Amino acid sequence: MTQWNRVSVSIQTRIKVKSPTRHRSLCSAAVRPASSSPGSIVQSRMEPKLYKPPPQVRGMTSLDKEAFTQTITVPALRVPTGVLNKVVKSLKKSTVQRPGVPRVVQDAEESSDFRLLLLDPHKVTSPSSFSEVEAEALRSFEVTKELQDYELHLTYDNLKSEEVLEAVLPLGQDVTTSFSRVGHIAHMNLRDHQLPYKNLIGQVIMDKNPGVTCVVNKTNMIDSTYRYFKMEVLAGEENMVAKVKENGVTYEFDFSCVYWNPRLSTEHQRIVQLVKRGDTVFDVFAGVGPFAIPAARFGANVLANDLNPESYRWLQHNCKLNKVESKVRTFNLDGRAFIQGPLKQELPALIKEKAGIHVVMNLPALALEFLDAFRGLLHLEAPSDENLPTVHCYGFSKEENPKMDMVQRASCSLGFPLEKGCSVHFVRNVAPNKDMLCVSFTVPKEVLFSSDPQQTEPAPKRQKCEEST
C-alpha cells in the first residue's frame, strides 16, 4: 500500500455560500417540509465529523470566532492540470465539501503542471478506498493513486451553523431548531434551554445566511387584542419592515406588529385558485392581504377586513403596491362587525347573481367562534338556495380525529349539522399533536335566513352540541 507523503501547507478561506431559501434547518434533525415553494423548511443533514470543535468553545455565550480555528489533516491527490476538471467531476463524491474551502489547491512545489485535489478523510483513507468507478477513472486519466497529507486550516468561516451550535451548547441537550425567513429577517422560536445562548445563536444565523440582517426570537408574550406574538431582536439591525414575495405578489409590512407566516404560501394559493373572475371574496381576517390581493389580481371583487390598525394600514399599502386598490375595499372592524355589517349589506344582491361568493376566515385560534354571526344574518330576506356563500374557516385541533373535531365545532358554532355538507382540508402540523385545518362549506339557507339568530336548530340538540365543546 502506497503511503501518504507529507505536505505542510495551510490555507485560510472565507465562506462563500449560495443565497438561502426562505426557511433553513440549523442542525442535523430533519424538519418536515411544508412545500417546495418559497416558505418551505429545508432539510439539513450533518456529515461525519470532519471538524472536531476545541473543548474551550463549549458553553460560550458571547461569540469568539477565533476560538473555533483548527488545523486538520486531509488526504490529497496530485493531479495533472490537463485532466483536472475531469478528475474533479469523477471524484466529486470523495472530495472535501466544506463552506469556503476550495477542493483544488496549489501543490507544494507550486508547479503549473499539477494541482492537489483535497479528499474527505472519512471517505478516502488509502488508495484502495476509491470505488471501482473512481479507480477506473483515475486509470483512464493516468493519475497515480498516491495520496499526500494536506494540512487544512479551518476557521469559523468554514463551519456550518449546525456545527457551531452543536459545539457551543451543552452536551446532551437538544440543539435542533429552525427559523423562518421573512425578507431580511430570520424568525426563531428558541427553546428554554437555548435562551442563555440566544445572542450567540442569532449572530451565527446572521453570519451563515447571506441577506439576513436581523434575527428575532418569538417571546411567550402575545398581544391579546390583535393575536400576534411579540419578539425580541437577537442580532443585527432593528429594522422590522420586511419585503417579501409570495406566489408572484409583493408584500411589505412591519413584522413586529402584524401576523405573517411564510409556511402558508401553498394554502393562500389553494384558496385563491378556487376563485373565478367576477367572484366576490369577503376576507374577514385579512392581515396584510395574502388572500385578498392575489384574489383581486385574478379578477375578483374583494372586501378585506382586519381589526389590527397596523395590518389594516399595510393591507392598504400592499393593495396600492400591487395596483389592485380599485378592486379591494378595506375595513378596520372586528370580524363579527364585518360579517354583520359590510358582508350583510352586500350579500342580498350577490345571492341574486351567478358569480361565486367566498368568505375566508383565517384566524385559526378563534375563527370557528365567529360562525354564529351567520345565524339569521338575512332573516328578513326571502329564502334562496341558488347562490349561497361558501365559507373557508380555519382552526387548530389537538384531537385524535382533527377533521371530525373541526366539523363538530363548526356545526356547534353555526347551529346546524355540517357532517354531510362540508369538506376539511389539512393545512399543516403546527406542533406535536396540534394541526391546522380548513373546513369549507356552503352556508345553509336554514342558518342564513333563520328568523331567530339564536336558534337555528332544536334546543336540546343545540345544548348537547354546546356541552361537547
Side-chain angles (χ1 to χ4, degrees):
M1 182 181 295
T2 306
Q3 298 298 315
W4 296 9
N5 296 323
R6 191 81 180 169
V7 179
S8 296
V9 184
S10 294
I11 65 168
Q12 277 189 309
T13 56
R14 294 192 62 81
I15 286 183
K16 296 179 181 178
V17 296
K18 296 180 180 178
S19 188
T21 53
R22 189 73 52 88
H23 306 276
R24 185 178 297 273
S25 171
L26 294 184
C27 58
S28 58
V31 182
R32 181 175 63 84
S35 69
S36 59
S37 63
S40 62
I41 295 289
V42 177
Q43 182 173 324
S44 176
R45 191 182 298 275
M46 284 183 63
E47 61 187 28
K49 308 294 184 183
L50 182 64
Y51 173 82
K52 295 182 180 179
Q56 63 266 27
V57 304
R58 182 73 63 191
M60 180 187 294
T61 57
S62 180
L63 184 61
D64 178 6
K65 297 180 181 181
E66 295 299 323
F68 291 86
T69 300
Q70 186 177 94
T71 299
I72 64 172
T73 301
V74 300
L77 192 66
R78 199 163 187 256
V79 181
T81 54
V83 295
L84 182 60
N85 290 338
K86 295 179 180 179
V87 173
V88 170
K89 184 176 181 180
S90 299
L91 269 60
K92 185 177 180 180
K93 293 182 179 180
S94 296
T95 58
V96 166
Q97 306 291 332
R98 174 62 44 181
V101 175
R103 287 178 291 180
V104 177
V105 298
Q106 186 72 47
D107 72 349
E109 301 175 7
E110 296 188 358
S111 168
S112 60
D113 297 328
F114 291 90
R115 293 289 187 274
L116 291 179
L117 179 61
L118 305 186
L119 304 172
D120 188 332
H122 292 282
K123 298 175 181 177
V124 180
T125 57
S126 71
S128 62
S129 298
F130 294 111
S131 68
E132 292 183 10
V133 174
E134 291 173 331
E136 177 58 33
L138 292 177
R139 283 193 295 271
S140 67
F141 300 136
E142 298 182 350
V143 176
T144 303
K145 292 193 297 181
E146 183 175 333
L147 300 178
Q148 303 179 358
D149 275 349
Y150 186 92
E151 290 187 352
L152 185 61
H153 191 62
L154 295 177
T155 70
Y156 169 84
D157 290 335
N158 306 130
L159 304 182
K160 300 176 182 180
S161 56
E162 58 264 27
E163 290 177 307
V164 177
L165 297 182
E166 189 178 58
V168 168
L169 269 67
L171 282 171
Q173 288 193 357
D174 183 14
V175 299
T176 304
T177 187
S178 62
F179 69 88
S180 299
R181 182 74 179 265
V182 182
H184 66 283
I185 302 169
H187 174 218
M188 310 188 71
N189 298 325
L190 295 182
R191 300 176 183 176
D192 289 343
H193 71 270
Q194 297 165 334
L195 293 178
Y197 310 91
K198 62 184 180 181
N199 296 116
L200 180 145
I201 293 172
Q203 186 63 47
V204 171
I205 297 305
M206 196 164 63
D207 290 342
K208 302 299 182 181
N209 294 275
V212 171
T213 58
C214 177
V215 183
V216 300
N217 180 46
K218 183 174 73 174
T219 69
N220 290 327
M221 297 177 63
I222 185 171
D223 185 286
S224 59
T225 303
Y226 304 129
R227 307 297 297 175
Y228 64 87
F229 282 95
K230 296 184 179 181
M231 55 193 69
E232 60 177 335
V233 176
L234 304 183
E237 61 182 353
E238 295 192 22
N239 174 19
M240 302 300 288
V241 177
K243 183 176 183 178
V244 302
K245 197 163 188 176
E246 180 185 273
N247 300 324
V249 180
T250 300
Y251 302 91
E252 292 179 345
F253 48 83
D254 186 333
F255 187 54
S256 67
C257 53
V258 305
Y259 179 80
W260 178 269
N261 190 335
R263 293 179 176 88
L264 296 178
S265 170
T266 301
E267 181 61 15
H268 296 154
Q269 189 174 38
R270 182 184 76 88
I271 294 296
V272 171
Q273 287 176 343
L274 300 176
V275 179
K276 298 178 181 179
R277 180 175 295 276
D279 286 358
T280 297
V281 175
F282 295 93
D283 196 348
V284 183
F285 311 106
V288 298
F291 287 107
I293 293 172
R297 285 174 49 133
F298 275 23
N301 301 306
V302 180
L303 286 80
N305 170 74
D306 203 277
L307 177 62
N308 184 347
E310 282 295 305
S311 295
Y312 172 69
R313 182 169 73 87
W314 288 106
L315 170 64
Q316 292 181 314
H317 172 81
N318 290 323
C319 286
K320 293 178 182 177
L321 184 65
N322 291 279
K323 298 180 171 56
V324 294
E325 65 269 32
S326 64
K327 295 183 178 180
V328 182
R329 280 181 280 169
T330 58
F331 301 86
N332 183 205
L333 302 170
D334 172 76
R336 191 177 303 278
F338 176 71
I339 293 172
Q340 296 177 342
L343 190 154
K344 179 180 179 179
Q345 294 168 12
E346 299 289 329
L347 207 50
L350 293 172
I351 288 177
K352 297 175 183 178
E353 299 176 1
K354 294 183 179 181
I357 308 167
H358 297 267
V359 182
V360 181
M361 302 177 68
N362 184 24
L363 185 65
L366 295 172
L368 288 168
E369 299 176 14
F370 285 78
L371 290 178
D372 64 354
F374 288 98
R375 297 182 187 179
L377 190 65
L378 301 182
H379 68 279
L380 297 179
E381 299 289 329
S384 170
D385 56 3
E386 294 181 0
N387 189 31
L388 299 176
T390 299
V391 172
H392 310 281
C393 186
Y394 292 82
F396 293 132
S397 178
K398 296 182 179 180
E399 298 300 317
E400 186 174 342
N401 189 333
K403 291 188 176 182
M404 181 182 295
D405 176 53
M406 282 288 292
V407 174
Q408 289 178 345
R409 288 159 59 202
S411 299
C412 289
S413 184
L414 202 62
F416 191 88
L418 293 175
E419 284 77 4
K420 297 181 180 180
C422 71
S423 63
V424 182
H425 175 78
F426 172 83
V427 178
R428 71 185 188 98
N429 178 254
V430 178
N433 302 317
K434 184 178 180 180
D435 293 337
M436 178 179 175
L437 304 100
C438 175
V439 56
S440 296
F441 59 91
T442 299
V443 181
K445 65 178 181 179
E446 293 86 348
V447 172
L448 201 59
F449 298 100
S450 171
S451 59
D452 183 359
Q454 300 303 317
Q455 183 172 335
T456 55
E457 60 177 11
K461 185 176 181 180
R462 189 176 76 254
Q463 182 178 355
K464 183 179 178 180
C465 194
E466 291 170 352
E467 290 172 351
S468 68
T469 60

